[in-house]
Amino acid sequence: MRLLGMTAIAAAALAAPASAQDAQQGAQQGAEIVVTGSPLDETARRLAACLERHCPPKEDIDASLAHAENQFVAGDYAGARSTLSKSVRRNEGYRRTLPVEVSDLQRAYGRMIDVGGRPDSGRIVQIDSLDSLKAGLDPKDRRVFLQRTLVADQFAQNGRPRAAEDIYVKVEREAAAAGLPQVSAYALLRRASLLGALATYQPEYKSRYHALLDRLETLPGDDMLQFRLSATVLRAADAARRHDDAGLDSIVAGIDARQFPRPYLLYAPTILIGDIGPSKMPLSGAPIPPHWADFRITIRPDGRVESAEILRQTPDLEKRWIRKINESVLHRRYTPYTPGAGAALATRIERFSFVQDWSNNDGPQSNGSRIRGQKADIRLAWMDLTPPDAQPSPPPKGAGS
């Protein structure tokens, strides 16, 4: 079980366009949680027993990640952050002997800091995660390069696209020189995803973006197939953002569904939440835990959403927020895919968190106090909670194949 661990290049290459579209809105990019189903009290006991017997650092890290995942899924964001923070303090000194494990731990901690409303601090911890890999691995190891792209993702999320692009360019060049063509292609894809998101709002990026798509589409060799497919996915997402239904349908029709064992997100309408309202903001500086809601999304083989339902949510979650998410989810478009036995439909479970970032009380929303507080504006973050062995939904009566 791994909280926010790196995915394989192929999966990341196909999934990247799904997250890149929301870069301007600060959505979580490439964020993934794999849930094993162990009860919360069981993972708590395992971690406590591990610490009581002074277990080896690797066991400590594994137990901490497992328990933090369960705490997050249960909605205890502060508890998950605390579990990871304590484990980082206990184990960061082992980065030379356990670089991958310590890096995974820090990466998860950085994500939890980000969703807790401190994106700048989260970015710093992602850089710490990179430093841990550098401490124990060859600087040309593929995992070092991939973590550098995650750092770039964090810069993009925090509104620093130029810094992000500089990192992508450097990783692309250096990975190619190190004999890692797929890693180089992945950095090219992340850069294209970023410029595509920027081009939606700033036309001056369009020519550079399309030039990168052309490069992706012409990458030679069977081992580059997933990146050529990703360029097609990005073009489909562009058509969807332009509300070019005919263009989108034409591109989707040309996608071989056999290439996709499960659907990947092409396009989701932008969700604008607004703010929580000054009357609901505390004056004491006390933290406001993120509200959240878990949605189960059922997707037809043609890539259209069949249904969306709330599995659970925090109490008193504003109905207008739920309506906006539900409307966006129902109008999503995914890649067509080949369903499993029995023509079952793919199901995704996603967590939407409504995050209020922290800042000093020196902006337009300042209440005159010097107490550091949270902004009234809401930042929406989403993470994939779909278990790897999730059972597909049976097709509804009359559903086409």
Side-chain angles (χ1 to χ4, degrees), residues 196-197 200 209-210 213 231 233-244 248 266-267:
T200 304
Y209 168 57
H210 288 294
L213 287 186
V233 168
L234 281 172
R235 290 195 188 278
D238 292 341
R241 281 195 289 258
R242 296 193 304 268
H243 303 289
D244 180 5
L248 174 60
L266 289 174
Y267 169 73

Side-chain angles (χ1 to χ4, degrees), residues 262-263 295-299 334 346-350 384 386-387:
R262 64 184 179 92
F295 275 73
R296 178 163 56 204
I297 306 164
T298 302
I299 306 152
Y334 288 80
T347 300
R348 312 301 299 163
I349 299 174
E350 295 183 12
D384 188 358
T386 309

Side-chain angles (χ1 to χ4, degrees), residues 269-282:
T270 300
I271 304 172
L272 298 177
I273 297 299
D275 60 53
I276 197 171
S279 63
K280 297 183 180 180
M281 295 291 291

Side-chain angles (χ1 to χ4, degrees), residues 98-378:
L98 295 171
V100 175
E101 290 81 0
V102 173
S103 177
D104 286 348
L105 178 66
Q106 291 171 316
R107 186 180 308 115
Y109 180 42
R111 285 295 191 187
M112 287 309 307
I113 291 176
D114 180 271
V115 81
R118 294 180 170 85
D120 290 335
S121 298
R123 184 183 70 250
I124 292 171
V125 176
Q126 295 297 348
I127 296 173
D128 289 342
S129 176
L130 173 60
D131 290 340
S132 293
L133 290 175
K134 289 180 177 179
L137 299 177
D138 186 298
K140 297 181 179 179
D141 189 288
R142 62 186 296 275
R143 290 165 291 190
V144 174
F145 284 119
L146 290 173
Q147 179 60 27
R148 285 168 64 183
T149 65
L150 288 181
V151 171
D153 290 346
Q154 196 76 34
F155 273 107
Q157 288 174 217
N158 295 164
R160 299 181 60 183
R162 185 170 299 178
E165 186 181 7
D166 288 345
I167 297 173
Y168 293 139
V169 170
K170 191 173 182 179
V171 169
E172 180 190 349
R173 181 178 65 249
E174 294 181 1
L180 297 169
Q182 284 198 321
V183 176
S184 178
Y186 178 63
L188 173 62
L189 172 61
R190 297 303 302 143
R191 182 184 173 202
S193 300
L194 171 64
L195 294 189
L198 293 172
T200 304
Y201 306 93
Q202 303 177 52
E204 61 268 24
Y205 285 95
K206 285 185 178 180
S207 61
R208 290 168 57 201
Y209 168 57
H210 288 294
L212 295 181
L213 287 186
D214 292 340
R215 287 180 57 195
L216 282 168
E217 288 176 332
T218 56
L219 289 173
D222 293 341
D223 57 344
M224 293 295 174
L225 173 62
Q226 69 267 31
F227 298 103
R228 295 194 295 271
L229 285 172
S230 294
T232 302
V233 168
L234 281 172
R235 290 195 188 278
D238 292 341
R241 281 195 289 258
R242 296 193 304 268
H243 303 289
D244 180 5
D245 293 339
L248 174 60
D249 290 340
S250 176
I251 295 173
V252 170
I255 296 177
D256 185 356
R258 293 172 298 180
Q259 300 284 356
F260 295 89
R262 64 184 179 92
Y264 289 88
L265 185 61
L266 289 174
Y267 169 73
T270 300
I271 304 172
L272 298 177
I273 297 299
D275 60 53
I276 197 171
S279 63
K280 297 183 180 180
M281 295 291 291
L283 299 178
S284 63
I288 304 172
H291 289 284
W292 54 267
D294 291 344
F295 275 73
R296 178 163 56 204
I297 306 164
T298 302
I299 306 152
R300 301 201 307 252
D302 65 358
R304 296 182 184 273
V305 173
E306 177 68 30
S307 63
E309 60 177 319
I310 297 178
L311 296 178
R312 55 184 182 160
Q313 65 183 72
T314 49
D316 302 323
L317 186 61
E318 292 201 27
K319 292 182 179 179
R320 63 185 175 97
W321 296 353
I322 292 295
R323 285 196 300 269
K324 288 183 177 183
I325 292 178
N326 194 68
E327 182 179 356
S328 176
V329 167
L330 289 175
H331 286 87
R332 284 182 176 185
R333 289 293 296 272
Y334 288 80
T335 58
Y337 67 97
T338 301
L345 302 185
T347 300
R348 312 301 299 163
I349 299 174
E350 295 183 12
R351 164 72 57 86
F352 292 85
S353 300
F354 304 86
V355 182
Q356 292 177 250
D357 290 335
W358 287 79
S359 69
N360 294 321
N361 263 319
D362 53 5
Q365 297 176 348
S366 172
N367 59 16
S369 169
R370 295 189 178 185
I371 299 175
R372 192 167 185 265
Q374 288 171 276
K375 301 177 182 178
D377 291 336
I378 299 295

